Amino acid sequence: MKAFLTTLFRTIFLLVLLSLLPNQFVRAQKQEAVSSSDNFGFMPGSDRNLFDYEQLISYFKKLDDYSPRLEMREIGKSPMGKPMYILFISSEKNIKNLDELGEINKKLALDPDLKADQIDALTKKGKVFFLATLSMHSSEVGPTQSSPLIAFDLATTNDPVKLKWLDDVVYMMVPNHNPDGMDMIVEHYRKYKGTKYEDSDMPGVYHKYVGHDNNRDFIILSQSDTKAISEITSKTWFPQVMVEKHQMGGSSVRYFVPPNHDPIAQNIDEGLWNWNGIFGSNMIKDLTKEGCSGVAQRYAFDNYWPGSTETCLWKNVAAFLTEAASCSVATPVYIEPTELSASGKGLSEYKKSSNMPLPWPGGWWHLSDIVKLELVSTNSIINTCSVNKEEILKFRNELCKKEVEKGKTEAPYYYILPVEQHDKSEWIDLARLLTEHGINVYKLDNKLVISEKVYEAGAFVVPLSQAFRPFIKEVMEVQEYPVRHYSAAGDLIKPYDIATWSLPLHKGVSCDEIKIRVAELEKNLQLWTPEKEVSQTVPVNTAMAIFDVNSNASFKTAFKASMAGLKVQRLDEDVTIENNQLKKGSFLISADSKTLNEIMKTSNGSVVFVKDAKQYKLADLTVPRIALVESWFHDMDAGWTRFVLDSYGIPFKVLHPGDFEKAGLEKDFDVLVFPGEDPDVLMKGKVKTAEGVYSTTTYPPEFTKGIGEKGFEKILKFLENGGKILSWGESTGLFTVPLKIKFAEDSLEEFSLPVQDISKSLAAKGLYCPGSLVNIKLKKDHPLTMGLEETIGVFYRGKPVFKTSEPYFDMDRRVIATFPEKDILKSGYIEKEELLDSKTAMVWMKKGKGQMILFAFGPQFRASTPVSYKLLFNALLLPGL
């Protein structure tokens, strides 16, 4: 039987290649030794079969050893430590000259001074580098499961057409963008395969931290897998073409290819949009020719915002995505024709149209159907790269020249980050992040006056006369959403995701946009790198250091020092030491000089050294015992919160909703943290539809238990008896409704906290905020606002909006933050902002012996809003009553 199955798998392998990859020759026996079926024991893409990441990499190592057309290199580590790889597939000659070809890419991408003859020589010798990143969203398994078939075919083909492709093109494949998530999904699928829950969703996020939001990380580069991918386009290989391979829901179109729907990014050169259209047009043509129906363009997916893998579009790469309809992971699904639908951007009905010339009629949908789409579309892109080789290479340098020239002739000309900053640590971190993106950052050598403003030596300067000018402008300017409508007087085309990403505003860094050329400035610039930032040296015999509360880095230092056993205290008053003003809440760390020097190596905050602190009013800092509440329903906001807490050295334990009934809250914890999550998911383990009906979940039942009445009663008793609760966004709905605590059979307290959410009534009047940075005014001289400016920007989605009321019995409240009377929007988009005039955005409350802090906004949104982190940290450290 085993021999029969082996022969059968080989036969299937050859038949599938012959059907999906036309004009292939029958493989020799040696080639069969590295065929996918022989190595995995099944044909990739076959029903109900998945290989894991380790099996995939093991196979590619064999193929690398076998084929001179393929080279595999490690590019980094995943957040959980798995090695990440890139495959280069091209002609044998190109593979031998990879590094030389990479240098040609770099020159074409970054050198605006190349002469015509140099460009001609480089484009003749150079090759189009085409990067494909696969299955970053791990439940979207098709792209990665197709990768062995694609690699094997290109590495072993004798087809003269494909050999010509490989002469012209270097295909760069990251076979899996998210190795940790891939193994989680495969493990879950194998666990439930053959049971009624075979097609269930995996509980939790398919990543160490952020799950689906890994495709929102390509500005801040917080995750190690994101950094590894970003470096390919920003600092190492500079490919000219890039595709990100995804899947989507299964009841509409079968495949999305570019161009995108409106709105599109305004800082992107029109030539890139045109190239994306050419690649998309060729894909839909080639897919249709191969019998693939249901392919759509200009549908659903806009492209106005950076943050996804295609952020390299802002770095002059022709970058786009494809999206395949999903089956149930690897299990086939049957779709009735009556179940197919389309609505919104690009397709108002599921009908034949210019955006979908050949609708799919319905029927069975298999993983192999997705694999076929990936095979055909990948070959189409490679073919387009080959046919247009010299034009694509020349265009890359044309864009470089064009953007550099714009930076010299069009405002703005520079962004300047002055030395005087509220948070010096975020000032330095912003400059560091820009260098990670391949941006040249400079420091001002001498004091300079520009438009009557004095800039001290040491200010960071970012000139826009750089090849990556579109990226610089996009992430440094204030965002204005590109408003477009379905018709002249029609509905707004709403944002697909958020509407703000301005790094200076999100970090709380003062930044000036300079709209005039300044020759004197350009003569006084020195290229800066993070390595040049030298930490302060601790004076001899110093035993104490005070870290400025204004700096986020000071909080990180304080948390880590405390957890390392050092004595940490907070100033209980403002002090001035040798002309250094230190605000209440700053951290005093006591340690020997050697230990303080080690601390200084990893701290970029403002610090003052002292020999004793007897004259200062101090309060001891104790890191609380924190429980972080995370649902099993792909709770990305909780995942981001875990990441921020881990990054700052803050210990915590995760509690899932079903844990509360048996948890010893008062015994084990001081603080409960509820990130933004649907209250129904938390309480009942269910999602409520717009009609108010609870829908059936797609998770195995052991992961759908909610907090329940008994668990929630424990939470309220925890509060009553002195615990602290932090809640933001959706989860605040747990606490803005009538509540009750049962102390005994005959003792029931019913009450409402002195706050309610009025966002529904405001939305009915037209309030709409799709995810923007808005201003809030903070209460002065309060423990929750230490280290913060009086007005800051916070990331906000239009709800909740709080209204407080006069308390009664053992309750109290203080409004910590309000929206201002006017000029509420800071960056992004909002409608009817006047409805937020002076409304409450953050409130502290007392109930019994406990305290609760409710945020209308996420203080740690996607780890991208350090400007509001201190509100979270101060809340965690808030002293007891």
Side-chain angles (χ1 to χ4, degrees), residues 284-427:
I284 196 169
K285 170 177 65 70
D286 294 337
L287 286 158
T288 303
K289 182 179 178 181
E290 291 298 322
C292 301
S293 57
V295 184
Q297 298 175 297
R298 298 180 182 87
Y299 167 68
F301 303 99
D302 54 35
N303 203 355
Y304 69 92
W305 57 278
S308 69
T309 317
E310 307 107 278
T311 299
C312 59
L313 184 65
W314 280 260
K315 299 173 184 177
N316 302 333
V317 180
F320 44 88
L321 58 72
T322 64
E323 296 263 0
S326 296
C327 56
S328 291
V329 190
T331 302
V333 296
Y334 187 84
I335 306 294
E336 292 284 359
T338 53
E339 295 167 350
L340 290 165
S341 64
S343 62
K345 299 173 185 175
L347 286 174
S348 297
E349 304 86 20
Y350 189 84
K351 301 287 186 182
K352 184 170 185 172
S353 69
S354 60
N355 288 347
M356 184 176 61
L358 180 62
W360 181 65
W364 281 105
W365 189 247
H366 300 261
L367 180 57
S368 59
D369 294 313
I370 303 171
V371 167
K372 180 177 180 179
L373 291 168
E374 299 307 327
L375 292 166
V376 177
S377 63
T378 298
N379 285 343
S380 176
I381 298 170
I382 295 173
N383 179 60
T384 302
C385 290
S386 174
V387 170
N388 299 281
K389 169 184 166 294
E390 291 196 17
E391 190 175 355
I392 289 172
L393 295 178
K394 285 182 179 179
F395 177 68
R396 185 61 187 270
N397 192 250
E398 287 170 8
L399 269 186
C400 169
K401 292 176 184 291
K402 188 175 181 179
E403 296 298 345
V404 170
E405 185 62 20
K406 277 185 181 179
K408 294 177 180 178
T409 58
E410 295 181 17
Y413 296 96
Y414 330 91
Y415 288 99
I416 300 182
L417 311 177
V419 173
E420 300 78 19
Q421 296 285 342
H422 181 79
D423 187 336
K424 281 289 183 72
S425 64
E426 292 300 334
W427 174 65

Side-chain angles (χ1 to χ4, degrees), residues 583-621:
K583 291 290 186 180
K584 180 179 179 179
S586 294
F587 302 93
L588 185 141
I589 299 177
S590 303
D592 57 73
S593 296
K594 181 179 178 181
T595 302
L596 287 176
N597 270 312
E598 287 300 311
I599 289 173
M600 292 307 302
K601 289 179 182 178
T602 58
S603 177
N604 58 4
S606 301
V607 61
V608 175
F609 300 105
V610 296
K611 292 187 177 180
D612 67 73
K614 294 177 183 177
Q615 68 272 40
Y616 307 129
K617 192 175 179 182
L618 298 164
D620 290 343
L621 181 146

Side-chain angles (χ1 to χ4, degrees), residues 89-91 94 101 123-130 161-171 240 382-390 392-393:
I89 306 175
S90 192
S91 68
N94 290 343
L101 293 173
T123 55
K124 283 183 172 62
K125 191 173 184 179
K127 310 296 174 184
V128 176
F129 276 60
F130 158 44
V161 173
K162 292 182 178 178
L163 292 176
K164 174 65 167 63
W165 294 351
L166 298 177
D167 282 338
D168 296 331
V169 180
V170 177
Y171 173 52
Q240 296 82 24
I382 295 173
N383 179 60
T384 302
C385 290
S386 174
V387 170
N388 299 281
K389 169 184 166 294
E390 291 196 17
I392 289 172
L393 295 178

